[in-house]
Amino acid sequence: MMFTALLLLALLSTTVSTEKARFDNYKVYRVLPNLPEQVKLLHELENAASGLNFWSSPSRVNASVDIMVPPHFLPEFNEFTKNLHLSSELIVHDVQRLIDNERPHGTTRADFGWTDYYPLEKVYAWLDAQVKKYPNIVSSIVGGSTYEGRQIRGVKVSYKDGNPGIFIESGIHAREWITVATVTYILNELLTSQDPAIRNIAENFDWYIFPSTNPDGYEYTHTTNRMWRKTRSPGLLCKGADPNRNWDYHWMDTGASSNPCSETYAGSKVFSEVETRSLAEYATSIASKIQVYLSFHSYSQLLMLPYGLNYELPDNYEVLMRIGQKSVAALAKRYGTDYKYGTIYNIIYPASGGSMDWAKKTLNIPYTFEWELRDKGQNGFILPADQIIPTALETLDSVLSILEDVQALEKEKN
Ligand code: 0X9
Ligand code: ZN
C-alpha cells in the first residue's frame, strides 16, 4: 500500500509537464441563478473539480456567474443549465483566441512598457530601475514573501517628510494582469508627469506600492496557466488558496469556500497563506502612516468600498459613497467607461476575508477603495494589451478624484 502510494507519487512528479495550458474552444457562459437552490447547485459544481473554471463565484440569487467551460464538458454543462432552468448566455466563444489576441505585439519585445504585459522578473527589474533613477524619491520595499520563496516587492515614493501615506495593492489575483500594468503605469506617472494635478498628489502623499501581491501566482499565469487565480501553496488535488478570502476579518463567514478546489477557497485557516500573512504584517507596521488604502482587481468595472458583509457599513459610509460617486464620474469623463460604485456586498456579492475589509476594520484606515477594472466580460481577465494605456489613464483620473477629495476633507478637519 505504502509502496504503491510512493510509486504513484514518483510517477506523478516525473510526469508533471511544464507546457503552457491551452484553451482552444473553451467558452465562457454567464449564468443567472434566480433561485436559492440554483445557487447551491452552482456551488457544488464549483467545488466538484470538474475542470470548469469559475471566472466569478456563485454567491446569491440574481448575481450572475461567469463560468469557463472546456469543450469536452460542454454537453454536460448545457444539460446542467437546462435541467436547472438556469438562464445562460455565451459571452466568450473561444478563450484561446482571446489569449492569442491579448498581446498584439507578440511577446515582450521591449524591457518594459504599457503596450504589453510583463512577467514578474521584468516588473521587478523596472521597479529597481526607478529606484536607481530617482534615488532620493523612490526606495525599494519588501511587503512579504511567498510560498515558493519569492519576495512581494514594491516601492515607496516620497518627495518630502510628513506626508500621509497611501497603500496600493494589486495583482492579488494572479490572472488579473491589467491591475499590475495599471498600477505600474500610475507609478510611472507619479514620477514623470508634468501635470500639476498629478504633481500635487505625487508629492503630497507617500506612496507604498505593491504591483504584484501574489508573485507565485502571477509567474504561474505567465509560464503555465493564464487562468490561475490563487496562491500556489500545496494541496492534494487542488493547489492554492484565494488570497482575497484569507484575511483576518470575518474569515470564512460569507462568499468563501472551505473546498480547496474552489476558486474562492479561503485557506485552511486565517492567514494560512504566507503572502497575506506577511503583507498584513507589513501593512500593520506602517498603518499609523496610512490614510488611504487602494486595491486593484479585474474585471467588471466597479468601484467598491467596504464591506463584503450584509450587516455592516463603514463608519464613514456616506463620505466614501460621495467620494466614490465623484470618482466614477471622473473616470467616465475621458472615454465614457461606465462604472458602478457601492459597498462590496451591495454591488458585487457577499464576500468576507478580503484585504480591504481587513484594512478598514483592523488597521482603521479611513479611506479605502477597491476597483474591478475593465472590462464587463467581453474579454474578462484577458484584456487586450492595447487597452492598458486607456485603462490606466481613466483609472488614474479616478484615483486623482479620490485623493483630491481626501485632501479637501482632511484640510477641513484642521
Ligand atoms: O471575488 C473577489 O475577490 C473580487 N472579485 S474578483 O473577480 N477580482 O475576484 C471582489 C471581491 C470584493 N472584495 C473584497 N471582498 N475585498
Ligand atoms: Zn480579483
Side-chain angles (χ1 to χ4, degrees), residues 109-139:
R109 284 187 311 186
D111 274 347
F112 202 74
W114 292 275
T115 53
D116 194 5
Y117 295 103
Y118 292 88
L120 188 74
E121 159 211 344
K122 298 236 168 166
V123 176
Y124 281 0
W126 184 76
L127 294 181
D128 286 337
Q130 306 318 299
V131 176
K132 254 200 167 144
K133 202 163 162 189
Y134 307 96
N136 300 324
I137 295 153
V138 186
S139 52

Side-chain angles (χ1 to χ4, degrees), residues 95-404:
V95 173
Q96 187 60 43
R97 212 168 60 207
L98 290 189
I99 293 175
D100 294 342
N101 293 334
E102 184 178 27
R103 305 171 73 174
H105 305 293
T107 44
T108 330
R109 284 187 311 186
D111 274 347
F112 202 74
W114 292 275
T115 53
D116 194 5
Y117 295 103
Y118 292 88
L120 188 74
E121 159 211 344
K122 298 236 168 166
V123 176
Y124 281 0
W126 184 76
L127 294 181
D128 286 337
Q130 306 318 299
V131 176
K132 254 200 167 144
K133 202 163 162 189
Y134 307 96
N136 300 324
I137 295 153
V138 186
S139 52
S140 185
I141 51 179
V142 177
S145 53
T146 76
Y147 174 74
E148 289 173 352
R150 296 184 176 84
Q151 287 183 326
I152 299 173
R153 298 189 47 201
V155 290
K156 178 182 175 186
V157 176
S158 178
Y159 281 85
K160 61 177 168 59
D161 287 342
N163 281 338
I166 303 178
F167 191 99
I168 294 188
E169 155 242 298
S170 64
I172 201 167
H173 288 141
R175 61 192 171 188
E176 296 165 12
W177 285 6
I178 185 59
T179 68
V180 179
T182 296
V183 163
T184 52
Y185 186 93
I186 290 175
L187 168 56
N188 189 55
E189 286 297 296
L190 297 177
L191 299 172
T192 60
S193 173
Q194 305 290 318
D195 179 338
I198 302 298
R199 294 267 38 92
N200 161 42
I201 59 165
E203 294 173 20
N204 292 303
F205 288 96
D206 279 1
W207 302 73
Y208 300 81
I209 303 180
F210 296 99
S212 174
T213 48
N214 178 5
D216 292 354
Y218 188 68
E219 180 66 10
Y220 194 68
T221 59
H222 278 270
T223 59
T224 313
N225 180 350
R226 176 68 188 84
M227 298 324 301
W228 193 258
R229 165 184 171 93
K230 299 188 281 184
T231 60
R232 293 292 299 160
S233 54
L236 191 57
L237 181 61
C238 297
K239 277 196 181 201
D242 182 345
N244 207 32
R245 297 292 183 282
N246 195 234
W247 297 67
D248 189 8
Y249 184 60
H250 285 272
W251 179 79
M252 266 305 285
D253 196 336
T254 179
S257 174
S258 57
N259 187 316
C261 291
S262 164
E263 292 292 352
T264 54
Y265 176 48
S268 57
K269 56 177 192 229
V270 154
F271 287 138
S272 59
E273 306 310 287
V274 63
E275 291 82 357
T276 55
R277 189 167 68 242
S278 54
L279 192 61
E281 232 167 75
Y282 178 81
T284 306
S285 76
I286 56 164
S288 62
K289 303 177 203 161
I290 303 298
Q291 189 175 64
V292 181
Y293 186 99
L294 307 179
S295 167
F296 292 89
H297 288 253
S298 70
Y299 56 95
S300 290
Q301 296 178 196
L302 305 170
L303 179 59
M304 300 172 285
L305 33 123
Y307 292 96
L309 307 157
N310 69 350
Y311 39 79
E312 191 171 15
L313 289 176
D315 52 350
N316 56 348
Y317 173 73
E318 251 97 66
V319 172
L320 295 183
M321 284 296 276
R322 217 169 334 112
I323 298 175
Q325 180 201 353
K326 288 166 73 181
S327 178
V328 301
L331 188 152
K333 228 174 181 172
R334 193 179 284 266
Y335 306 111
T337 311
D338 165 51
Y339 266 64
K340 294 195 179 11
Y341 68 97
T343 69
I344 295 167
Y345 180 85
N346 286 333
I347 58 164
I348 181 163
Y349 40 63
S352 70
S355 59
M356 174 170 70
D357 283 9
W358 177 86
K360 177 72 181 159
K361 194 66 181 196
T362 312
L363 301 185
N364 215 2
I365 312 286
Y367 305 101
T368 54
F369 292 92
E370 182 171 313
W371 283 257
E372 293 279 7
L373 299 178
R374 290 189 191 187
D375 53 16
K376 286 185 167 178
Q378 306 92 299
N379 302 281
F381 303 113
I382 315 164
L383 196 70
D386 60 11
Q387 288 196 46
I388 295 173
I389 291 171
T391 301
L393 284 171
E394 69 190 9
T395 307
L396 181 54
D397 293 338
S398 136
V399 169
L400 176 65
S401 167
I402 290 174
L403 296 181
E404 288 180 341

Side-chain angles (χ1 to χ4, degrees), residues 36-102:
E37 181 63 14
Q38 295 171 328
V39 176
K40 196 174 146 253
L41 287 163
L42 280 168
H43 265 133
E44 281 171 23
L45 190 66
E46 184 182 24
N47 293 343
S50 57
L52 294 175
N53 183 294
F54 280 64
W55 281 21
S56 62
S57 208
S59 57
R60 66 169 163 217
V61 162
N62 291 329
S64 66
V65 184
D66 295 350
I67 307 172
M68 181 172 76
V69 185
H72 59 267
F73 203 74
L74 265 175
E76 287 86 350
F77 181 78
N78 287 332
E79 206 159 308
F80 176 87
T81 52
K82 206 172 125 209
N83 290 342
L84 258 64
H85 303 287
L86 262 171
S87 77
S88 92
E89 178 200 350
L90 181 63
I91 62 167
V92 176
H93 284 79
D94 181 356
V95 173
Q96 187 60 43
R97 212 168 60 207
L98 290 189
I99 293 175
D100 294 342
N101 293 334
E102 184 178 27

